[in-house]
Amino acid sequence: MKFSIFIKTIFISIVFFTATGFAQQNKPAVESFEKESVLSEYKTENSNLITSKKHYKYGKNSLKWSWSDKASFGTSNFKFLTLEESPLAYGNYFPASPTLQMAIYNEVSQDEKITISYQKDGKKEVWFNLSLNFTGWRKIWVPFYEMDGNAPKKGTAVNYDYFKITTTSKNGTLFFDDIIFSQYQDDRHQFPDNLIPFIKEDKKLREDFWMPLAVNFNRIKKLEKKPISVATRLDLNKFESLITKDLEVPKKYKTYINSLKSDFNTLGIYEKEGVVLGPPLTFYDQQEYFNKDQQGVKRFNDVKAFGAIMRKLSHFYDRSTPEETKQIEEMFVLGTKYFLDQGWQAGTSGGTRHHVGYFVRGIAEGFFTMRKTLYKEGLLNDVANSMHWLFNLGMLLDDKSTFKVNIDYLNTQSYYHLMLIFLVDNQEGQAALLKAYSNYMSIILAQQNEEWGFKIDGTSWHHNGHYPAYGLGAFQNVPKVIKTLSRTRFRVKTAGHQNFKKAFLTSSEYSQLYNWGFGNAGRHPLENNGIESLKDQYLMMAQSGNPEGNSKIDRDVAAAYLRLWGKEDVFNSTVFRDIEGIASQKLKPYKTLPYAATAIQRKGNDWAAIIKGYSKYVWASEIYVDENRYGRYPANGTIELLNNKGESGSGFRQEGWDWNRYPGATIIYLPLKELETKKPLLMFRSDETFAGTTTLNGNGIFGMILNEGSGSNADGDDTKNGFPGKLKAKKSVFSFGDKLISIGTNISSVDTKNATQTNLFQSFLPDSKQVLYSSNGKMKKLGSKEVLTKNSSSKKWIIDPYGSGYYLLSKNDTYIQKKTQDSYHNKYSIHTGKMNAKGKGVKETQGDYATGWLNHGFAPKDASYQYVIYPFLDKNKQADFNKYASKDNSYTILRADNIAHIVKDKESKITGYVVFEADKSLENGLLEKVSNPCLIMIGNEETNVAELSVVQPDLNFEAYKKSRYINFSRPVPLSFTLKGKWNTSKTNFIKSISYKDGNTTFSLECKDGLPRIFSISKI
């Protein structure tokens, strides 16, 4: 009997807990109030709750709360989302915390407040207050760790059982929609605003320039306006006119009113009884949890798409018939009211506005173009306030010590700040803001020693590294600013103009003809990255005058324009060449970019070899959650050969590309699933400081210590990183004349299952029948694979499909192959199945390729290689390549081991030293030993007057915490000893010269990885 009762008790308990768990699971994580029956789940005091169609976000309804006297409503009908259930783009990579997210509509502003709280077992645990001094929609994100009361720590899961809203206001009405009771949200992204000013109170908010701040907005309101001169008024009129002209579309585009109306109607906006209704106007909606069962069909207007429609309306406003103009005006005004009512007013951040500049450029242009209409309709002040808040315009008025260059700002906000100044309805205010703007731009453009921005070598730093794709955005917009303000009292000052010009022109030096190659592509490999789109900007910079402001034409930029686009622009070519006497730009045969661990060897416009490494301070590539997923090897000492047809015309294609096979790279060949990191974000830097390059008389040398075993991640809190194969190598490339001598030593890995290899080339085959020539003979058939053999009279050699020759000096097993390759798009992740929309759904790719590589075997201990590349040979040299290469006695490899790689070139009379270890006798040439690893080139060392080019490649960034750096170089010492007695003229970087045992020791101060070039004379 007792046993039976016990069994029944157990059964009832199981049923109870199962039912309870099931009930918890059925509770909503988000409440959109689409069904009136949900009201039964809410308890009220002095309140009336109904579902309402008057205002709503998703779905068709919201919760309307009307109250009198002290009132409240609450519910236990909810559940909290786990970390795994929350839509986090990077999973748990960046710290994330439970966050309340909700939308609130207020019809009548009042100086009262509501309190939002959570309870547990009847006890009030956490809460915060919300002011009611607003109208329209407001979206808030409030992390629980920011609430008052017994707040949890960051990242800690929460477990409350009751949600409650109270007020002591005598009466009022509010509307609530899309309450997400708790989802994990990226802790970087919850933004404060006038409603929730307590968010991130402990942070230095000005460090995030995306974040609109009340203190900045108030600076605009308090700005002193002084009387201005007639000349200043004329300048302001000129600027406004130039911006207006810039935004115009060509006159050939006519008004098609039905098309405009059709586009506008897709927004679903309408006015009913004085209320503007429509789907929610969203920003980055992917960051918020959505449930179709609760919220209905997910219909919304993305603010970027909305802005594009509004901008299009503005484009045709002044070129239409009176009736069409009236219709455009009506649509634009309705759209503006909708924009403001949806919670895009000044003082609100809508939960988050991170990277907002990328999304609101269209609407800003539309508002600028329609500013007179907005003024007429009484909307200009509200729109100006909204834009000034959203774009954080008041940051220009902060103390100049806070000004920090950021390429995102230069790309998405700099030109728009200039534009939005002219939403101020009086010229005195415009002049005051414009003076601050000119000062701000002049300061940040001149900065070289900030975390990001334009470095002394001309590189464009973003995301803690040289990132041309982001630099491109700055290069597209800053020239508009410089051109607009040029030759006026508001012009960008000389230092800022000069530093920007250097970075701008450097983009032409690291590109061939327009492409900058895969090594510096960031997260965008093989996507035709380049500067071709900058034609107009090069012309603007040329026509802006020089940085000193004493010439109407910048001759340097005009020369670059002539080289890049002169043939297709007869008019400006005539002006520059015939009238101004400017010759086409002549590029240096060798360019060093130490802040990118990059060297560029070139032969005029014909070809360039882009050589790329990485180090403790320079990352290898940017691997994102859904971009560049297989980007482990593009900087492993790679050599990309580009002809004058750019990447695509040189055999580099996305389709079928084997992501293991970046040319020049030393790698562990992995299946793509293993090649892809499981980390959502990785910008790998090794622990090695040796990666650099130097140049002398148009020749150059490059060297790096490759170490995949230990390093850091340049972004996020995940500072310690490494790859399991622990691949290591010492690599160098000697560029003399029209050849590259590539050397690798001390190659090792611990991977016993996958081969370690060094890639020679991977070339797309436009014609699968194309013959591949080598010392083995002709390879014709697709699907062929061969090991090159060596006979007694010659070495192994290959000519790739684009005419470059590879002459093998070492005895490595050398493979060539012609094959149809199957691969994955770089924007598709095998591990997560995610596909970036820019990949257009093409997960798998295919293409025909010829490849060549050197095999070092499994887990090599001390492998090596030596080979010479002759880029883009003419037909005659290709036809007799073995004879041509074997008779080339212009160079001698003097040493290639763990201590140094040393090569002597007879034609240039230069010896290049890539020295990996200090204080060791080098035994070859004039250089005896060095105090630190370095790169040295010595010309004419057998004469009485020699030339030296010296680099100590350690950038020596200062660390402000583990694996996090202030990204500019500090001085490093270097001493080196030469055989014999030598002297030199006094320079500021040579600190001392000493003599001992018939030898000479020079002590230098090096910085920025840049060459110290000087001459010495024998005593």
Side-chain angles (χ1 to χ4, degrees), residues 161 697 706 834 904 912:
D161 56 22
N697 298 334
L706 174 65
K834 290 184 178 179
K904 183 174 184 178

Coordinates of all heavy atoms in Angstrom, one line a residue, residues 161 697 706 834 904 912:
D161 N 11.1 36.1 -12.2 CA 9.8 35.5 -12.5 C 8.7 36.4 -12.7 O 7.5 36.0 -13.0 CB 9.4 34.4 -11.5 CG 9.4 35.0 -10.1 OD1 9.3 36.2 -9.9 OD2 9.5 34.2 -9.1
N697 N 68.7 51.9 -54.3 CA 68.9 52.1 -55.8 C 67.9 51.2 -56.6 O 68.3 50.7 -57.6 CB 70.4 51.8 -56.2 CG 71.3 52.7 -55.5 OD1 71.0 53.8 -55.1 ND2 72.6 52.3 -55.3
L706 N 58.5 33.3 -39.9 CA 57.2 32.8 -39.9 C 57.1 31.9 -38.7 O 57.8 30.9 -38.5 CB 56.9 32.0 -41.2 CG 55.6 31.2 -41.3 CD1 54.4 32.2 -41.3 CD2 55.5 30.4 -42.5
K834 N 27.0 29.4 -42.5 CA 26.6 30.8 -42.8 C 27.2 31.2 -44.1 O 28.3 30.8 -44.4 CB 27.1 31.7 -41.6 CG 26.3 31.5 -40.3 CD 26.7 32.6 -39.3 CE 26.0 32.5 -38.0 NZ 26.4 33.4 -37.0
K904 N 74.5 38.2 -53.3 CA 75.2 39.2 -53.9 C 74.8 39.4 -55.4 O 74.7 38.3 -56.1 CB 76.7 38.9 -53.9 CG 77.6 40.0 -54.5 CD 79.1 39.7 -54.3 CE 79.9 40.9 -54.8 NZ 81.4 40.6 -54.6
G912 N 72.9 41.9 -50.4 CA 71.8 42.0 -49.5 C 71.9 41.0 -48.3 O 72.3 39.8 -48.6

